[in-house]
Amino acid sequence: MKVQMQSVHFTADQKLLDFIQKRLDKLETFYDRVTEGEVIMRLNNNDGVDNKTVEIKLFVPGTTLFSQENASSFEAAADSAAEQLKKQLIRHKEKQTAH
């Protein structure tokens, strides 16, 4: 799957980009019609440990799935967001096969 990644107010290292790409590639095992993905990583100015936000959009025929998570690391936020998207993909696929 083609994934477009942006990091806001910082430069993401290749290890992080590879991690997110691998994590999103796994989602294709649940629904193989994902056309592309978009990831935005952002450092928040809010106090506290959960100051890293990852937003993921997945484009599937007919709809766009979205998840946003905050965590203390980008990896943890990406993991949580991908987990949410996995549930959304499974639900979307069930709806498609129910028709």
Side-chain angles (χ1 to χ4, degrees), residues 17-67:
L17 300 177
D18 291 344
F19 174 84
I20 293 173
Q21 180 71 52
K22 271 196 204 105
R23 195 68 180 85
L24 294 181
D25 285 345
K26 285 181 188 167
L27 292 175
E28 288 189 294
T29 59
F30 300 99
Y31 190 62
D32 57 5
R33 296 188 53 209
V34 178
T35 53
E36 65 178 302
E38 206 174 90
V39 178
I40 299 172
M41 295 163 279
R42 180 178 294 124
L43 282 169
N44 298 329
N45 294 334
N46 65 348
D47 297 333
V49 287
D50 293 348
N51 67 339
K52 295 172 180 73
T53 302
V54 173
E55 297 176 9
I56 304 175
K57 278 186 204 167
L58 288 183
F59 299 97
V60 293
T63 191
T64 301
L65 305 177
F66 178 80
S67 179

Side-chain angles (χ1 to χ4, degrees), residues 6 9 11 15 18 25 27 40 47 61 71 77 83-84 91 96 98:
Q6 291 176 304
H9 302 308
T11 304
K15 212 169 77 175
D18 291 344
D25 285 345
L27 292 175
I40 299 172
D47 297 333
E83 204 51 44
Q84 291 296 317
R91 232 178 295 134
Q96 295 303 307

